[in-house]
Amino acid sequence: MSDILYIDTNHRRSRAVVANGMVHVAGHTAADRSQDAAGQTRQILAAIDQILAEAGSGKDRLLSVTIWLASMEDFKAMNEVYDAWIVPGRAPARCCGEVKLALPDIRVEIIATALTR
């Protein structure tokens, strides 16, 4: 379909899908998973910034964010990075929970939805 844009697609997933004025960003994890939760969060948010830009959006257009943590013990460290990243006055709807992630060295995974410009 020409009205849907698939970004960074392989046989299993797209990093983002743009349709009907919305960007659906897939779950992102850190490339360097040797870092702590704060370091992983920084990497993930930078990747989300990049994918939003590619999709014609930005963090000022976020609607919702879902954050999965391997342990709620990382909640404070993740939030310190996340809170500095969010555009003041434009905090998206958000949820955060502890889940068993795909690999043991993944501490954080973040999913987002935003409007295009």
Side-chain angles (χ1 to χ4, degrees):
M1 293 182 186
S2 61
D3 59 335
I4 301 173
L5 172 64
Y6 299 89
I7 298 174
D8 189 11
T9 300
N10 68 24
H11 72 283
R12 179 172 290 156
R13 59 92 191 119
S14 295
R15 289 282 176 214
V17 176
V18 183
N20 297 321
M22 296 180 68
V23 183
H24 301 273
V25 180
H28 276 64
T29 60
D32 177 4
R33 295 193 299 262
S34 68
Q35 294 190 18
D36 63 7
Q40 288 193 22
T41 301
R42 271 188 217 87
Q43 290 179 63
I44 295 164
L45 296 177
I48 289 174
D49 279 336
Q50 183 177 3
I51 203 95
L52 287 173
E54 187 175 343
S57 187
K59 64 185 176 183
D60 61 321
R61 306 285 290 163
L62 284 169
L63 298 174
S64 66
V65 172
T66 300
I67 302 169
W68 294 337
L69 299 174
S71 170
M72 288 307 286
E73 290 178 11
D74 290 329
F75 187 70
K76 182 178 181 206
M78 176 278 300
N79 271 326
E80 287 174 357
V81 176
Y82 176 88
D83 291 347
W85 178 75
I86 288 297
V87 175
R90 294 194 170 235
R94 185 187 114 162
C95 71
C96 180
E98 179 179 305
V99 300
K100 183 173 182 174
L101 295 168
L103 298 170
D105 57 351
I106 298 174
R107 302 180 70 96
V108 181
E109 183 168 354
I110 301 176
I111 303 162
T113 303
L115 292 175
T116 56
R117 300 230 179 256

